Amino acid sequence: MKIKILTLFPQMIEGIFKESILKRAIDKGVCSVELIDIRNFSLDKHHHVDDTPYGGGAGMILACDVVDRAITASATEDSYKILMTPQGRPYSQQIARELALKKELVLVCGHYEGFDERIRSYVDDEISIGDFILTGGELAATVLCDSIIRLLEHTIRKESYEDDSFSNGLLEYPQYTRPVEYKGSKVPEVLVNGNHKLIREFRLKESLRRTYLRRFDLLKDRSLTKEEEKLLKEIQAELGED
């Protein structure tokens, strides 16, 4: 996969791709990440990329002509172009899986007060990583990169992420490591007895419990298996809700 990030501040995020799993994926040729400075496409001798908004208002607006030239020069017929914006569709693990199947991504990072509305017509998608405002789209773009690259083949083992929160529509079950007891808190006995059937059931039940208590919205549209229905009833009974 090729990923191209169009940004006004490439140095702001370049270090992220030089560490840990992302670096290893790039070094192995699983993917490539190119940071493209939008300022290089300004025709102004001072490399201006923004201007004041028509109709007045605070701040500066990213110019459509500069961004258009940046996208046109960077995109190919394989590119899926995404604008990072708080007005975009909410990001999710499902979208990450969908994007991981693309050959090439072009991520456009806004900055300043906003961007010229016409820029929306130059992209294929708009994505938001949450209902909050960042200084620019750079950090949001790196969130997408991290969540997508880890799903690519040969980045990490499939079993390392297939039980992650949201991967199967539920929050991940609680996990423990040594020591078995610490400050009076013990690892659940079922996890140390070696019975894999009971361990699997425990993990599913605790995954359901955590989702039920913390993100009930995830269960509303989920088609529960008979086993999940049984375990959920047990959880509700334990909580005194039956």
Side-chain angles (χ1 to χ4, degrees), residues 5 12 20 38 42 44 67-68 71 77 98 102 111 113 123 136 139 141 150 152 159 185 191 206 208 214 224 231-232:
I5 303 177
M12 178 180 177
S20 190
I38 296 175
S42 172
D44 187 290
V67 175
D68 183 25
I71 293 175
E77 61 180 12
E98 294 170 4
K102 303 292 185 182
H111 218 82
E113 183 62 27
V123 299
L139 295 180
R150 68 192 304 273
L152 300 178
E159 56 267 28
S185 179
L191 296 178
E206 293 310 305
L208 283 165
R214 300 186 181 188
L224 298 177
L231 293 174
L232 191 56

Side-chain angles (χ1 to χ4, degrees), residues 196-211:
H196 295 292
K197 179 178 181 298
L198 293 180
I199 290 173
R200 187 200 65 79
E201 184 177 291
F202 169 83
R203 286 176 168 172
L204 176 58
K205 183 174 181 178
E206 293 310 305
S207 183
L208 283 165
R209 186 193 306 276
R210 184 157 288 185
T211 306

Side-chain angles (χ1 to χ4, degrees), residues 139-158:
L139 295 180
T142 59
V143 167
L144 256 70
C145 289
D146 186 282
S147 62
I148 293 167
I149 292 173
R150 68 192 304 273
L151 297 177
L152 300 178
E153 189 175 4
H154 305 307
T155 298
I156 59 177
R157 293 176 301 177
K158 184 178 180 181

Side-chain angles (χ1 to χ4, degrees), residues 146-236:
D146 186 282
S147 62
I148 293 167
I149 292 173
R150 68 192 304 273
L151 297 177
L152 300 178
E153 189 175 4
H154 305 307
T155 298
I156 59 177
R157 293 176 301 177
K158 184 178 180 181
E159 56 267 28
S160 295
Y161 63 76
E162 60 185 3
D163 287 332
D164 285 347
S165 292
F166 309 112
S167 291
N168 63 354
L170 301 172
L171 297 185
E172 188 176 11
Y173 48 78
Q175 299 196 71
Y176 304 84
T177 188
R178 295 182 178 86
V180 172
E181 182 175 353
Y182 183 71
K183 292 186 175 180
S185 179
K186 295 183 178 181
V187 175
E189 180 63 28
V190 64
L191 296 178
V192 296
N193 66 14
N195 188 319
H196 295 292
K197 179 178 181 298
L198 293 180
I199 290 173
R200 187 200 65 79
E201 184 177 291
F202 169 83
R203 286 176 168 172
L204 176 58
K205 183 174 181 178
E206 293 310 305
S207 183
L208 283 165
R209 186 193 306 276
R210 184 157 288 185
T211 306
Y212 180 75
L213 293 174
R214 300 186 181 188
R215 289 293 305 274
F216 183 73
D217 57 295
L218 296 175
L219 294 176
K220 288 183 178 179
D221 299 321
R222 181 181 178 84
S223 297
L224 298 177
T225 65
K226 290 184 178 180
E227 181 184 24
E228 289 173 343
E229 289 180 352
K230 172 180 174 293
L231 293 174
L232 191 56
K233 287 180 180 179
E234 290 179 8
I235 292 168
Q236 292 170 328

Side-chain angles (χ1 to χ4, degrees), residues 4 75-82 89 98-99 102-107 123-127:
K4 300 174 182 178
T76 69
E77 61 180 12
D78 292 326
S79 296
Y80 188 72
K81 303 178 291 293
I82 302 172
R89 59 175 177 148
E98 294 170 4
L99 295 180
K102 303 292 185 182
K103 291 183 178 180
E104 181 173 291
L105 300 177
V106 175
L107 309 181
V123 299
D124 304 305
D125 202 349
E126 299 179 26
I127 288 180

